Amino acid sequence: MNAQPKHYDTIVKPVITEKATMASGANSIVFEAAIGANKLEIKEAVESLFNVKVRSVNVLITKGKRKMFRGRPGRRKDVKKAYVRLEEGYTIDVHSGI
């Protein structure tokens, strides 16, 4: 039996970029999510992990680039990003600890 709840597998990590920081002004947080996760699973994971109410979830999949690794062609992994919009009055501080 898996000791960790499924929520830790759904939300991989927060995305800290300039665009993600600008989205936080609109009460939105950007997370990297598991490729197989859907919007409902992401919403449940964020609500249970951070004790907040989620208004909406938008997802997008960024396809991995083709790159050279040690002189051989390779490909980076695909990444699913989840833009999570919170209800009014709720916040998540993902910048602490940096």
Side-chain angles (χ1 to χ4, degrees):
M1 187 123 182
N2 191 0
Q4 287 184 335
K6 187 176 186 299
H7 302 307
Y8 288 108
D9 297 330
T10 304
I11 302 296
V12 178
K13 62 182 178 181
V15 177
I16 310 296
T17 60
E18 187 174 354
K19 185 175 180 181
T21 305
M22 290 174 54
S24 66
N27 210 18
S28 295
I29 306 295
V30 183
F31 292 102
E32 182 179 323
I35 289 288
N38 60 25
K39 289 182 180 184
L40 184 60
E41 292 172 347
I42 294 169
K43 178 180 178 179
E44 290 173 355
V46 171
E47 285 180 344
S48 68
L49 291 175
F50 298 103
N51 297 322
V52 296
K53 292 280 187 180
V54 174
R55 177 180 282 179
S56 65
V57 177
N58 293 326
V59 295
L60 62 96
I61 296 176
T62 304
K63 300 295 182 184
K65 290 181 173 182
R66 297 187 188 280
K67 301 291 279 185
M68 296 295 285
F69 293 105
R70 294 187 179 182
R72 296 176 184 232
R75 188 169 176 268
R76 290 185 184 168
K77 65 177 184 162
D78 296 342
V79 176
K80 180 179 264 191
K81 290 186 203 173
Y83 285 81
V84 178
R85 186 167 182 204
L86 304 175
E87 292 284 346
E88 293 297 322
Y90 291 96
T91 58
I92 297 174
D93 186 20
V94 294
H95 301 291
S96 65
I98 292 179

